[in-house]
């Protein structure tokens, strides 16, 4: 039986974000009169040090046993307020949040009165639920001090080394026979023009010789189960399947170079049309010879068309493979909508290498925008000093490539600045193509429950704030799996992912959210529907009854909704609690 | 004993590095020269592409720093001396005088309400005023007032009204010594002063402002309460121009910022969209040289800015701006890339996007640390490809914009912050095992 | 090499200009257009467009550049020099272009007259007899004489005489 | 102070009134001018457009003459100034070119050693003599005279060899204001007068000059003050030409144009002679009356 509720309500102005639209004092006044409310106050920023101090103070002074904050959104702030409540020796789950900014003041800017009324409704509902809240305990699990790194490119190897140097065991698997990823196949790297082997070589040597790293090449992930701190994975190796048990997983399996379909810009039709990747190979093999001219075309298969997120919302986030299959199919022909970030520098790098090998060769770069960000501007200058010619063409009119009688190529483009057609007779055409997501890794993402974005790359937990985390605890991403990056950027993200993973492993224990499914065994008939529906594999039928493995449960509620006997309820989101909210909405108090 | 590290600079990169190190079990001394941590991100209105309110998503991290048992906040402090080497640096930090007792002040702000003396508010790019005793911004961490002696008139009112008896006029600067195993630098950036390019009229023409000033004007808690108005007459600008590469990509010896600042194109598009959301009837044009919308989601965002919000993109770098003295409207002279002739358009407001440059005083800090700077005054990577976060001194690392425009935006800064945490954990953790 | 909507493109024209004295600036151009929007002539003469001239050089449109009037519209006021963000010396490159144009027999009458006057008298402008008489009247004394022989020795050595004897 | 006096071509031919005023004020301000015997044309932009080496060789020859006199050069013309200053800079910095030029000069028995500086009247008055000394020499200040100065391009550009693109107060502003006159601000004060195209492309030259005159008119100046004979010609004679070629009303432009040396001379209490007043195409008498 719950003790007599003493609810404290704290309403936030969020500067003018809320205060500028909603009559906050009015709402506070209203809240103070609601049944069960002992105390109500408002502050400019409840999330500020002062606002939080006020909550702690009120809990002590008015011996509150429930707390409601009406403010921005739980997405960014629920954790902060729970911590605060906890600091005041109250169970963090005796806290409820009303979203009166994102879902009220921001969307009703032009109707302040109605917005204020809605805010009152939202607060009333939150209070109603709060009175029925029960304390919860967050399950704690041990974290195995070993990590699985998928992909031995520069990002993966960097991450592996960082963790290994910290004393953690690392299992580093690579699909190919040799570690090094796509960088291994490159000739030289911008902007230092160091040979790629100078970068990859030392890393390979280090991972091979490190006592804490087990490098397994020609190996892929077959199966992954378990949860943060305790993942069980099955690896397919040349000598049969191997099992491993790790605490964290870092996905660093890279991306692929987009290959234009046959015929696009005469690719695979006329032999003298190659990709920058292939030109890089030609330069490495020193097969260039002394061509009179090379024309490079930027953004081939990049910044083309656009995937509207709305178009793909139909897909359940969990079915990543299907989503990617659709995306890849759609993109194979017309290319990708995003900017691949590295192609401009790549083209400039190859242009410089060509000029160094064959100074007389005239190099023309057809571009739309040259995105030589950072200090790469100096690299661009270096190319111009070598008399590489940069010509801005009208991207909407793709250059036409035809063969001349004497076996050369004619590239006809429209100069964007003069608006005139320009033709270049050339010996070689190099197409700058973007990095694109790999397909295989997405099956893997599905295994690990990591969602992918509409651009086909794996999704960060938060695009801004958690760039190397995923929304699956214990699984991190590094390198180009989350979008195009150059070598230094991939190395940095490898370090970052390792740092994030090491925190879990270093602390040896981790707490997870208490909001999980709960089975009433008296009602459960063990039909197994929950087992089928659960995207996280939490329920398991044992002895005719459903057992929820809390640590796997993400609290999504699918099982509870599906259960024919209403045997499953959600902690912190019980039917009785939600119905109380609905009642409060329909029956305005006072 | 527990290994300690020092983080210099309390912006988003420094905060991320501190939290990751602290949660990894290291004792972190976070040294910030300003009275509050938060840095540049705290000044921004919204952040692309999620359009989250910048301070709203930053504040929880700032507060986490304050609450984390492993983090010692040394705000309003500066590094004065560094001796020793990797594994054991001896650092002298000067704690400047707030004239307010940190242990007593609870930041209630009654003193500021009563303070009669005002000064320009740095946090608002001096567009608004603050008192001589003040809190840098509402979400400041730590929540402690500070007295700015230059504008204080010594009236003593704050003493009288302070309920916590926290005012301490006798407070002396204090030098503390720290032993740390490693150091990471995250001192961030300053903005180029556009008045160095006279023909754009910044400082001379009232309605020519910088992008950072615009951020404050757009910000709900800014000097105009989030209302988009122009300086000359407080009217809503109906026609706004952004000018890119003001001092960036500039090789003139008296400017010398040849690099691309990497973020201007992106925040300009973001601001343009924000403006349309504030004032749907306002027309926005962006003058650029190359539109550098690289990085995840940016190209798609630019497409939306064009198709959904009708932002006008003009590939041309204007030569000069003149003023119609009767209206204070601005005439921007540029080459129309479609007609290839010189045109002049009138705008109510012009926003300059200045180059980002190293923080004032980094040369001094670099000397103290003994680390190298690059030609432009940013911290030089030991190897720009292989060791991007290392400096030339083992045990000293750098992250965020103080490394130069290696940072494309906030996530890059955060990744680098975590990255340096990784580098440091590598060298320090191994000594005592995991 | 190949043909084009512009008259025939020569891939090495940019090289030629870049390696003519004062012509290096063409390599720094990023086509931002600040020179044109700063140019006092571009405001009154639509066709005059320094940025476009740089672009035509990069494209290799040799004849359009060297046989046209555009290089001769430039005032050499050097506004573009101070404003080019790349320190690109557009105004300087104009001299390289005009030097090359002169060798293509493209030079305005006025310039030719001044050049010939320089060779004949050591001055681009020579005082009329009246002006010389007035000098005495105004008490300005005799005007300092030019050592024409030396001037001509020098100009022969630089082949200026041949350039100045040509003309459009 | 002693200077090698470089007169150039245009002034003796067309603007003796500029020269005469300079010769009047110089001794009063302690400036001693020594003629440069045998000096040739500076090789202005028109000549530089024809051939690079010819320019440098001719500029070098003038510089050598000054070197032999052991004096710095003072010019009265921005074009001469730029030509000698740039030439001097290049020859001093670039050994390869210097050797080439010296090889050419050998035939006329000269060698460039880089021992002289090229200065203009404004440099000399502002830097060497100093505003104080100039002020002291003022006997008849022009109180309240609104002056629009035309500094001319090559007094200020390119920035890397000059003071840079001037905005606001400049050396010339300060010098003008020593005479008690007010140097007013107007749109694009630092811009070109169009003069360089005079005789090469008169139409363009006049359109550029017109922009200048309109801006000055809009700022309601009493008169224009120049330091360059080309600016003077383009803005003085130019007013008549523009009115004629563009069929404008007679009263459209009648802005008096003075050489700065004349303004200073009058302020120093030395009246202009009739021929000097008549030398102006624009009516300057109303300025003299102030």
């Amino acid at each position: 039986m719950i003790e007599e509720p003493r609810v404290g309500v704290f309403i936030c102005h969020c500067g003018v974000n809320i205060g500028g639209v909603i009559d906050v004092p009015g709402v506070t006044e209203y809240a103070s009169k609601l049944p069960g409310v002992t105390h109500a106050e408002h502050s400019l920023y409840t999330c500020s040090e002062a606002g939080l101090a006020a909550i702690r103070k009120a809990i002590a002074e008015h011996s509150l046993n429930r707390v409601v904050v009406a403010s921005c959104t739980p997405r960014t702030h629920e954790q902060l307020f729970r911590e605060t409540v906890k600091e005041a020796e109250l169970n963090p789950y005796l806290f409820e949040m009303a979203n009166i900014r994102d879902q009220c003041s921001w969307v009703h800017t032009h109707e302040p009165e109605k917005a204020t009324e809605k805010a009152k409704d939202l607060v009333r509902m939150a209070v109603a639920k709060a009175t029925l809240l029960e304390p919860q305990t967050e399950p704690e699990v041990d974290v195995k001090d070993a990590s699985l790194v998928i992909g031995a490119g520069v990002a993966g190897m960097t991450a592996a080394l960082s963790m290994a140097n910290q004393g953690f065991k690392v299992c580093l698997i690579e699909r190919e026979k040799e570690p090094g990823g796509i960088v291994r196949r490159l000739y030289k790297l911008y902007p230092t023009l160091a040979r790629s082997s100078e970068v990859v070589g030392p890393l390979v040597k280090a991972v091979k010789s490190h006592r804490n790293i087990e490098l397994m090449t020609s190996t892929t992930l077959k199966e992954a189960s378990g949860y943060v701190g305790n993942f069980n994975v099955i690896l397919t190796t040349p000598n049969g399947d191997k099992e491993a048990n790790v605490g964290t997983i870092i996905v660093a399996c890279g991306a692929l170079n987009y290959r234009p379909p046959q015929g696009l810009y005469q690719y695979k039709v006329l032999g003298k049309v190659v990709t920058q990747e292939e030109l890089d190979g030609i330069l490495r093999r020193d097969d260039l010879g002394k061509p009179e001219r090379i024309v490079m075309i930027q953004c081939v298969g990049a910044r083309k068309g656009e995937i509207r997120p709305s178009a793909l919302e139909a897909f359940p986030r969990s079915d990543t493979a299907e989503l990617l299959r659709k995306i890849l199919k759609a993109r194979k022909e017309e290319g990708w909508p995003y900017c691949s970030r590295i192609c401009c520098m790549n083209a400039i790098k190859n242009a410089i290498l060509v000029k160094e090998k064959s100074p007389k060769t005239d190099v023309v770069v057809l571009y739309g925008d040259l995105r030589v960000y950072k200090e790469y501007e100096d690299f661009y200058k270096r190319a111009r000093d070598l008399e590489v010619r940069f010509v801005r063409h009208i991207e909407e009119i793709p250059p036409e490539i035809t063969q001349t009688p004497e076996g050369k190529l004619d590239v006809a483009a429209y100069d964007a600045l003069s608006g005139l057609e320009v033709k270049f007779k050339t010996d070689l055409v190099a197409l700058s193509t973007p990095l694109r997501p790999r397909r295989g890794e997405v099956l893997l993402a599905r295994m690990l429950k990591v969602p992918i974005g509409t651009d086909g790359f794996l999704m960060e937990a938060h695009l801004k704030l958690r760039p190397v985390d995923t929304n699956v605890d214990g699984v991190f991403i590094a390198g180009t799996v989350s979008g195009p990056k150059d070598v230094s950027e991939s190395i940095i993200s490898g370090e970052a992912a390792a740092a994030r993973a090491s925190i879990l492993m270093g602390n040896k224990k981790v707490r997870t959210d208490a909001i999980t499914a709960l089975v009433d065994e008296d009602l459960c008939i063990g039909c197994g529907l929950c087992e089928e529906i659960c995207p996280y594999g939490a329920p398991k039928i044992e002895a005719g009854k459903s057992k929820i493995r809390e640590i796997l449960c993400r609290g999504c509620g699918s099982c509870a909704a599906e259960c024919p006997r209403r045997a499953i309820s959600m902690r912190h989101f019980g039917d009785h609690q939600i119905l109380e909210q609905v009642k409060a909405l329909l029956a305005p108090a006072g | 004993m527990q290994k300690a590290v020092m983080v210099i600079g309390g912006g988003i990169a420094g905060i991320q590095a501190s939290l990751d190190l602290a949660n990894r079990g290291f004792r972190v001394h976070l040294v910030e020269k300003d009275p509050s941590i938060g840095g540049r991100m705290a000044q921004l209105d919204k952040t692309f592409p999620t359009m989250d309110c910048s301070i709203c998503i930053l504040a929880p991290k700032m507060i986490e720093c304050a609450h984390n048992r492993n983090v010692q906040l040394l705000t309003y402090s500066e590094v004065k001396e560094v001796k020793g080497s990797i594994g054991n640096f001896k650092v002298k930090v000067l704690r400047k005088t707030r004239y307010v007792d940190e242990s007593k002040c609870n930041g209630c702000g009654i003193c500021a309400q009563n303070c009669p003396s005002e000064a320009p508010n740095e946090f608002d790019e001096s567009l608004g005023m603050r008192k001589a005793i003040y809190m840098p911004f509402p979400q400041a961490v730590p929540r402690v007032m500070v007295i700015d002696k230059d504008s204080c008139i010594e009236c003593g009112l704050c003493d009288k009204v302070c309920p916590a008896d926290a005012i301490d006029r006798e407070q002396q600067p204090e030098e503390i010594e720290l032993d740390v195993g490693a150091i990471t630098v995250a001192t961030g950036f300053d903005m180029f002063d556009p008045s160095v390019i006279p023909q754009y009229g910044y400082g001379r023409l009232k309605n020519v402002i910088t992008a950072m000033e615009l951020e404050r004007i757009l910000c709900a808690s800014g000097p105009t309460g989030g209302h988009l108005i122009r300086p000359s007459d407080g009217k809503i600008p109906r026609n706004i121009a952004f000018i890119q590469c003001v001092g960036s990509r500039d090789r003139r010896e008296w400017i010398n910022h040849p690099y691309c600042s990497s973020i201007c194109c992106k925040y300009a598009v973001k601001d343009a969209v924000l403006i349309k959301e504030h004032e749907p009837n306002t027309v926005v044009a962006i003058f650029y040289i190359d539109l550098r919308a690289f990085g995840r989601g940016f190209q798609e965002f630019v497409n939306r800015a064009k198709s959904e919000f009708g932002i006008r993109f003009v590939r041309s770098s204007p030569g000069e701006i003149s003023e119609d003295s009767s209206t204070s409207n601005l005439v921007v002279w540029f080459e129309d890339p479609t007609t290839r002739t010189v045109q002049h358009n009138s705008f109510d407001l012009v926003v300059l996007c200045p180059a980002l440059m190293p923080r004032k005083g980094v040369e001094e800090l670099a000397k103290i640390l003994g680390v190298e700077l690059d030609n432009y005054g940013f911290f030089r990577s030991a190897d720009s490809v292989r060791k991007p976060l290392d400096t030339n001194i083992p045990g000293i690392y750098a992250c965020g914009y103080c490394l130069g425009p290696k940072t494309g935006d906030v996530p890059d800064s955060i990744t680098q912050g975590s990255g340096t945490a990784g580098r440091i954990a590598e060298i320090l953790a191994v000594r005592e095992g995991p | 090499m190949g043909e084009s909507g512009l008259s025939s493109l020569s891939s090495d024209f940019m090289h030629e200009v870049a390696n003519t004295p004062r012509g290096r600036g063409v390599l720094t151009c990023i086509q931002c257009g600040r020179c044109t929007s700063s140019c006092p002539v571009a405001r009154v003469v639509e066709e005059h467009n320094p940025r476009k001239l740089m672009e035509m050089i990069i494209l290799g449109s040799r004849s359009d550049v060297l046989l046209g009037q555009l290089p001769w519209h430039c005032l050499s006021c050097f506004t573009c020099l101070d404003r080019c963000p790349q320190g690109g010396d557009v105004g300087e490159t104009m001299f390289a272009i005009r030097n090359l144009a002169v060798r293509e027999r493209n030079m305005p009458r006025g310039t030719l007259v001044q050049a010939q006057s320089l060779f004949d008298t050591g001055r681009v402008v020579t005082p009329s007899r009246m002006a010389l008489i007035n000098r005495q009247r105004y008490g300005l004394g005799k005007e300092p004489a030019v050592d024409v022989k030396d001037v001509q020795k020098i100009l022969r050595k630089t082949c200026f005489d041949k350039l100045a004897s040509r003309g459009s | 102070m002693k200077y090698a006096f470089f007169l150039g071509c245009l002034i003796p031919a067309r603007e003796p009134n500029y020269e005469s005023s300079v010769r009047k004020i110089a001794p009063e301000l302690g400036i001693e001018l020594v003629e440069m015997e045998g000096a040739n044309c500076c090789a202005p932009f028109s000549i530089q457009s024809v051939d690079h080496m010819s320019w440098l060789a001719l500029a070098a020859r003038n510089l050598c003459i000054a070197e032999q006199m052991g004096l710095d050069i003072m010019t009265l013309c921005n074009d001469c100034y730029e030509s000698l200053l740039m030439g001097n800079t290049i020859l001093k910095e670039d050994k390869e070119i210097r050797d080439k030029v010296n090889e050419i000069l050998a035939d006329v028995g000269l060698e460039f050693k880089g021992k002289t500086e090229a200065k203009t009247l404004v440099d000399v008055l502002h830097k060497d003599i100093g505003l104080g000394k100039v002020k002291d020499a003022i006997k008849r200040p022009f109180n309240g005279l609104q002056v629009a100065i035309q500094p001319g391009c090559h007094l200020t550009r390119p920035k890397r060899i000059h003071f840079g693109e001037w905005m606001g107060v400049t050396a010339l502003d300060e010098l003008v204001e020593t005479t008690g006159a007010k140097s007013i601000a107007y749109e694009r004060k630092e811009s070109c007068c169009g003069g360089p195209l005079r005789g090469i492309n008169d139409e363009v030259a006049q359109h550029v000059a017109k922009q200048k005159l309109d801006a000055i008119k809009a700022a309601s100046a009493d008169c224009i003050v120049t330091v360059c004979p080309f600016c003077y010609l383009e803005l003085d004679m130019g007013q008549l030409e523009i009115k004629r070629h563009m069929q404008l009303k007679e009263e459209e432009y009648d802005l008096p144009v003075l050489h700065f040396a004349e303004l200073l001379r009058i302020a120093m209490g030395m009246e202009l002679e009739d021929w000097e007043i008549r030398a102006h195409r624009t009516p300057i008498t109303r300025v003299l009356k102030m």
Side-chain angles (χ1 to χ4, degrees), chain A residues 23 46 91 177 186 197 210 225 241 265 311 315 320 325 391 400 441 444 485 515 517-518 522:
Chain A
D23 166 19
T46 311
N91 181 287
K177 281 197 210 57
L186 292 178
S197 56
H210 203 296
S225 60
D241 289 0
Y265 296 101
F315 290 95
T320 48
R325 203 183 55 70
V391 176
E400 276 180 26
E441 276 53 43
L444 174 155
K485 293 178 187 58
I515 299 170
L518 180 66
D522 304 342

Side-chain angles (χ1 to χ4, degrees), chain D residues 58-85:
Chain D
L58 290 181
R61 180 171 178 272
N62 288 329
L63 293 161
C64 289
I65 293 172
E67 272 179 22
Q68 288 175 338
M69 299 165 72
L71 296 173
D72 287 347
I73 296 176
M74 183 179 100
T75 68
L76 299 184
C77 166
N78 284 1
D79 222 343
C80 301
Y81 174 52
E82 188 86 332
S83 173
L84 295 172
L85 181 64

Side-chain angles (χ1 to χ4, degrees), chain A residues 103-117:
Chain A
Q103 297 174 359
C104 190
S105 66
W106 274 2
V107 285
H108 306 302
T109 329
H110 304 296
E111 300 168 299
E113 294 77 13
K114 290 184 181 171
T116 302
E117 284 316 302

Side-chain angles (χ1 to χ4, degrees), chain A residues 531-552:
Chain A
E531 211 174 349
E532 279 173 44
I533 195 75
C534 178
Y536 306 99
K540 205 164 178 49
I541 304 298
E542 285 166 10
K545 298 285 175 192
S546 170
K547 297 255 181 305
I548 306 288
R549 286 165 298 182
E550 287 181 358
I551 201 74
L552 287 179

